[in-house]
Amino acid sequence: MNDQQAGPPAEPTEPAPPVLRLTGVNKSFGPVHVLHDVDLAVRPGEVTALVGDNGAGKSTLVKCIAGIHPVDGGSIHFDGKPVRITSPRDAADLGIEVVYQDLALADNLDIVQNMFLGRERTRGGLLDETDMERAARDTLASLSVRTVASVRTPVSALSGGQRQTVAIAKAVLWNSRVVLLDEPTAALGVAQTRQVLDLVRRLAERGLGVVLISHNMNDVFEVADRIATLYLGRLVAELPTRDTTHAQVVELITAGRSGDLGLPRAENPAP
Amino acid sequence: MTQLYPNSSSGEERTEPADGFAIDTTRRTTREALGDYAARLRGGQLGALPALLGLLTLFVVFTVLSDRFLTLGNLANLLGQGAGIVVIAMGLVFVLLLGDIDLSAGTASGVAASVLALHLVNDGNLLGAMGTTVFVLFCGAIVLAVVLALAARLWIGAGLAALGLLLVVLGVPANPWLEILLAVCVGTAIGCLTGFLVARVGIPAFVVTLALFLAWGGVVLQFVGVGGTLGLRDDVLFAVANGSLPVWASWLFALVAVLGYVALGVGRHLRQLRAGVVTAPTPLVLGKLGAVVLLALAGTWLLTLNRSPNDQTVIAGVPYVVPIVLVLLVLGTLVLDRTRYGRHIYAVGGNREAARRAGIDVVRIRMSVFVVCSTVAAVGAVIYSSKVGSVDPQAGGGNTLLFAVGAAVIGGTSLFGGRGRLRDAVIGGTVIATIDNGLGLLGQPAAVVSIVTGVVLLLAASVDAVSRRRAAAVGR
Ligand SMILES: Nc1ncnc2c1ncn2[C@@H]1O[C@H](COP(=O)(O)OP(=O)(O)OP(=O)(O)O)[C@@H](O)[C@H]1O
Ligand SMILES: [Mg+2]
């Protein structure tokens, strides 16, 4: 196989201004306070890993950004400008795409139909299938996705990894600026995890801001530029991957603190 | 970056790709396509095949048992008998695609039919026919429907319901075309109410439509009167289900339909070939087009022969119900397959949460399918009322709805949502009409007809369930 280069190689970028910034985000479900004053910055061209124990609030945070859950307090800035995200449509309009933990694909539709769901292209009032199919195929090709037999395969016939691939390719198709991936590799085998992680890296190389949620430390350390840790709904640390060790992150996840990092012991230096 | 995915060989029998994504085969040979089809069948995706086979079996059985079954007169009669159910079933497919059910479609169509009949019999004076109280309540319900449709931004639904209100209030003298329009508008208004209760209020469709099934049955009784029958003494209304196109018009219609079908089919195939997107093999496309054209022309020829039972009169031509059903089928299929609205219906039926996350207004889509269902059911009401020539308190009651649901399911529409096509309703409705007609010719009582229809429906539902299990096992 003569494989062409899949895009420009990654260049170490200077810390760019964040494309998406959350400040003091709070979220409660009734009496359950799930997110406490979460601050998070997502920079273009970087993979930010979001880690935390089960129930720490990772998925909730993602759904708040995606407009599935309204936030109770705090602000969201996109490209430096304050924005209000109240529906999935708002998030999509900004260029925020989400790959959900519980997959959000319609089984009875094919790959093309799923990739364009909710934003179908039309011509003269009728669906422009030709155009959509080409765009979908081009996108998959640009990501060097080679595992699907046909873009007209119904999603119900795809494997877990292929579904994730479709969900991620959907994000690229829309020229998104930010892609949030909630445990995209949780249900995958070794080879398929490999593919998805490569894909995640390629998204960042294209200049997208990527947030990756994962419980697998090896994956996190392999692809992430920064690691943000949620502990019981609080964002306790956000550190560059190269300045961090496995042990520290595990401690942050389980105890919310590691040495000087994380939750303060007694005094409160929070702004 | 070579050998990134060493195990990416999902297309074993496929040719080696030449460039980036060429592994995505857009063209297959006829043999591969047929092989894929066989694999799909083995995998449990049977589509309309069981229903077609069942229909063939029924035809053979009835032909053997009754010498009157396979006569031109009877076949034409069969079309008229089946059309009402077929049309109601087509509307139901929209609801079934969402995994919902509309048990009230039958009696709702009865309401439409009785309003039509009242308007005709009383020369447009609905106020006099209903009495003041009932009339005011009736108008109030339509106004409510308009408001609800507007609130849900269902513009077409609101427009039709408002038009219905206008026709009711103006009291224009009897006119068959206006009455047909009025019936359709009443259907739309009813659908707005049903859809609101299911989609916006959130009551399960089964409960809402069961309640409305009873309520509309009462409304029909109120409109028609206990023991009363409203005769439809009007040439146009009588012709809908009993008349035929003149022979020349039959051929013209057949020609236009066939040419249009071929032009669309070939044009689409050429466009796909030129654009290099996924398409069926050319021989297969041509074969399918050819088969449909042959069938259509053969059918037209048979229907243009004289089928009169005596020598004094000549009865020939394609019955009006054929173009009516065909137009609805083509329009509906266009909407379901080629518009965003149709795509969203399938998406909501396949995965409601995914549709919501994709920014689709799930509530609006859900409400709209009930509007479509009742509107189309009203068209069905016009047809079956025309067939009998009158509207009685039982209009749309009894087996009407259950036969229509049965038709959709027998044709291959899933009750679990997301899977089904309009032609399922046509095929399934034909099966049910054939059973009814054939057993009638054999002199079997209604009891037998009901039992046989029930058994066939059970068979169809088992095919659906078994094929789902197989599909799950094969991973499709
Ligand atoms: N819709 C909801 N209603 C009420 N509580 C909720 C809801 N969604 C999440 N929660 C609660 O919020 C908390 C955080 O849940 P979340 O799904 O965000 O965790 P998570 O970090 O994604 O965990 P996991 O790693 O298991 O996916 C949990 O205690 C959960 O019970
Ligand atoms: Mg989660």
Side-chain angles (χ1 to χ4, degrees), chain B residues 201-298:
Chain B
V201 182
I203 314 170
F206 188 89
V207 180
V208 170
T209 59
L210 182 61
L212 290 180
F213 163 77
L214 295 170
W216 300 141
V219 171
V220 176
L221 193 58
Q222 168 68 37
F223 284 174
V224 179
V226 183
T229 300
L230 301 171
L232 300 178
R233 267 171 230 97
D234 180 275
D235 290 343
V236 174
L237 287 176
F238 178 77
V240 170
N242 301 295
S244 303
L245 290 166
V247 171
W248 66 267
S250 302
W251 280 113
L252 185 66
F253 164 70
L255 226 57
V256 169
V258 160
L259 285 181
Y261 179 68
V262 170
L264 282 180
V266 171
R268 183 166 178 201
H269 186 61
L270 286 180
R271 229 175 318 118
Q272 287 174 334
L273 284 181
R274 219 175 306 124
V277 298
V278 176
T279 178
T282 309
L284 218 57
V285 173
L286 292 181
K288 205 173 135 194
L289 286 174
V292 172
V293 168
L294 268 182
L295 268 177
L297 292 181

Side-chain angles (χ1 to χ4, degrees), chain A residues 234-255:
Chain A
R234 291 177 217 287
L235 202 97
V236 292
E238 194 195 338
L239 304 160
T241 309
R242 60 177 113 71
D243 302 344
T244 333
T245 64
H246 267 61
Q248 278 177 320
V249 175
V250 170
E251 240 186 305
L252 283 168
I253 290 173
T254 50

Side-chain angles (χ1 to χ4, degrees), chain A residues 55-100:
Chain A
K58 306 182 294 295
S59 299
T60 307
L61 183 59
V62 164
K63 285 178 180 166
C64 286
I65 300 174
I68 305 248
H69 298 321
V71 294
D72 298 337
S75 60
I76 302 179
H77 288 253
F78 196 87
D79 273 342
K81 287 186 279 290
V83 290
R84 276 175 52 79
I85 303 177
T86 55
S87 74
R89 173 67 46 146
D90 291 346
D93 288 346
L94 286 171
I96 299 173
E97 287 290 325
V98 187
V99 178
Y100 293 95

Side-chain angles (χ1 to χ4, degrees), chain A:
Chain A
M1 282 194 210
N2 58 334
D3 212 341
Q4 286 133 335
Q5 213 95 69
E11 281 162 31
T13 37
E14 292 306 306
V19 52
L20 177 72
R21 181 195 282 284
L22 313 184
T23 344
V25 165
N26 277 281
K27 174 71 196 167
S28 301
F29 291 108
V32 194
H33 200 163
V34 179
L35 296 176
H36 298 263
D37 293 327
V38 171
D39 298 341
L40 181 70
V42 181
R43 295 193 168 74
E46 279 191 1
V47 177
T48 307
L50 186 61
V51 297
D53 232 336
N54 291 122
K58 306 182 294 295
S59 299
T60 307
L61 183 59
V62 164
K63 285 178 180 166
C64 286
I65 300 174
I68 305 248
H69 298 321
V71 294
D72 298 337
S75 60
I76 302 179
H77 288 253
F78 196 87
D79 273 342
K81 287 186 279 290
V83 290
R84 276 175 52 79
I85 303 177
T86 55
S87 74
R89 173 67 46 146
D90 291 346
D93 288 346
L94 286 171
I96 299 173
E97 287 290 325
V98 187
V99 178
Y100 293 95
Q101 181 172 13
D102 40 346
L103 269 168
L105 298 174
D107 264 4
N108 56 336
L109 300 183
D110 66 34
I111 294 177
V112 181
Q113 294 171 341
N114 264 292
M115 285 175 72
F116 279 90
L117 193 56
R119 287 173 286 193
E120 294 84 359
R121 290 187 192 166
T122 55
R123 215 164 73 190
L126 297 181
L127 294 171
D128 192 348
E129 294 285 356
T130 308
D131 195 38
M132 291 195 277
E133 184 175 327
R134 275 177 165 167
R137 187 179 297 116
D138 289 347
T139 306
L140 287 166
S142 78
L143 291 170
S144 307
V145 172
R146 310 171 135 253
T147 60
V148 276
S150 163
V151 287
R152 288 298 181 184
T153 314
V155 163
S156 57
L158 299 182
S159 74
Q162 290 170 329
R163 286 170 194 230
Q164 288 294 4
T165 307
V166 171
I168 296 171
K170 182 177 177 182
V172 177
L173 175 71
W174 293 105
N175 277 323
S176 325
R177 307 280 310 284
V178 174
V179 178
L180 310 164
L181 303 114
D182 194 352
E183 302 195 33
T185 60
L188 303 187
V190 180
Q192 298 205 321
T193 300
R194 181 78 271 123
Q195 290 169 20
V196 170
L197 290 182
D198 283 333
L199 211 47
V200 168
R201 212 41 255 180
R202 247 174 270 144
L203 294 184
E205 283 163 15
R206 285 167 164 246
L208 278 69
V210 181
V211 176
L212 172 74
I213 296 180
S214 177
H215 285 291
N216 185 321
M217 284 307 124
N218 292 326
D219 294 358
V220 167
F221 273 84
E222 182 184 330
V223 295
D225 300 295
R226 306 178 67 80
I227 301 178
T229 312
L230 264 183
Y231 176 73
L232 297 181
R234 291 177 217 287
L235 202 97
V236 292
E238 194 195 338
L239 304 160
T241 309
R242 60 177 113 71
D243 302 344
T244 333
T245 64
H246 267 61
Q248 278 177 320
V249 175
V250 170
E251 240 186 305
L252 283 168
I253 290 173
T254 50
R257 182 184 332 129
S258 168
D260 300 339
L261 302 170
L263 292 174
R265 259 165 229 278
E267 68 277 11
N268 195 347

